[in-house]
Amino acid sequence: MAGSLPIAGPLEVRLTFYFPRPPSHTRAQRTVPWYAPKGRDDIEKLVRSTFDAMTDSALWEDDGQVARVEASSVYADSGKHPGAWVAVFRLLGESK
């Protein structure tokens, strides 16, 4: 990432959490790529713990800087490994 840390100003964060697909899934269930394996409360906990780690690592000063969040949890299909993908963007201003 270019620039200095911690990142200042308002931020947008996009997160995708990848989980292993249970071996008990049927062939039909395996064709649903965006099935969320966790519930709403679980994804909130995943986001919160990721934000805490990013604050502790001094990526940003405080997670209160995050003005926009997009988060999803999906099964790790097509050669993807379980884990997380995180992208952080500075919001420099928006035109209407």
Side-chain angles (χ1 to χ4, degrees):
M1 176 182 291
S4 61
L5 297 178
I7 302 171
L11 305 171
E12 174 181 353
V13 181
R14 298 178 192 165
L15 309 102
T16 304
F17 299 97
Y18 295 94
F19 292 90
R21 187 179 292 274
S24 61
H25 269 193
T26 65
R27 188 178 307 246
Q29 288 171 310
R30 289 183 177 276
T31 63
V32 180
W34 289 99
Y35 179 78
K38 300 287 184 182
R40 179 178 172 267
D41 291 339
D42 290 330
I43 200 162
E44 288 176 2
K45 290 176 186 175
L46 289 166
V47 170
R48 190 172 356 152
S49 65
T50 303
F51 282 12
D52 288 346
M54 294 169 90
T55 302
D56 291 345
S57 67
L59 180 69
W60 54 47
E61 292 179 7
D62 184 73
D63 59 12
Q65 293 172 245
V66 179
R68 186 179 302 149
V69 178
E70 179 183 313
S72 58
S73 59
V74 298
Y75 287 121
D77 287 337
S78 303
K80 286 188 171 41
H81 297 287
W85 174 85
V86 180
V88 178
F89 304 92
R90 290 188 351 189
L91 297 174
L92 300 176
E94 298 183 17
S95 60
K96 293 185 178 188

